[in-house]
Amino acid sequence: GNLNTRIGNYSNSISFHEKGISIYKSYLPTHYKGLAHALGSAGSCYRRVGKYQKAKNLTEQSLAIYRSYLPHDYIGLAG
């Protein structure tokens, strides 16, 4: 999905990220860091194609997972 994002092919990128999310959810713990990354990447792509509510939902899911791993005052979670 990331290569498609870099070249601006967001629909293909979304498809790959969604497949990755599905695999993560099927085989790994629900708070796996890789899932957080995939959710955030998919959210970014949805934002770029104007699907803001979907982007927000995915980004919030990603943030919740990252928050479970990082200290509450971690600068990367500021927002």
Side-chain angles (χ1 to χ4, degrees), residues 47-66:
R47 180 185 50 81
R48 290 177 184 197
V49 297
K51 295 185 178 182
Y52 300 113
Q53 190 58 49
K54 180 73 172 178
K56 180 181 178 203
N57 291 340
L58 291 171
T59 303
E60 287 174 347
Q61 290 176 52
S62 174
L63 182 58
I65 294 169
Y66 281 126

Side-chain angles (χ1 to χ4, degrees), residues 7-77:
I7 63 173
N9 192 343
Y10 301 116
S11 13
N12 274 355
S13 184
I14 288 169
S15 177
F16 281 110
H17 287 304
E18 291 287 352
K19 287 176 188 175
I21 290 167
S22 177
I23 291 167
Y24 280 130
K25 287 183 174 182
S26 295
Y27 297 103
L28 296 166
T30 57
H31 276 73
Y32 183 67
K33 287 183 204 178
L35 174 59
H37 179 75
L39 289 165
S41 295
S44 178
C45 289
Y46 277 109
R47 180 185 50 81
R48 290 177 184 197
V49 297
K51 295 185 178 182
Y52 300 113
Q53 190 58 49
K54 180 73 172 178
K56 180 181 178 203
N57 291 340
L58 291 171
T59 303
E60 287 174 347
Q61 290 176 52
S62 174
L63 182 58
I65 294 169
Y66 281 126
R67 281 188 173 144
S68 72
Y69 282 97
L70 300 169
H72 74 281
D73 59 350
Y74 181 71
I75 192 80
L77 295 177

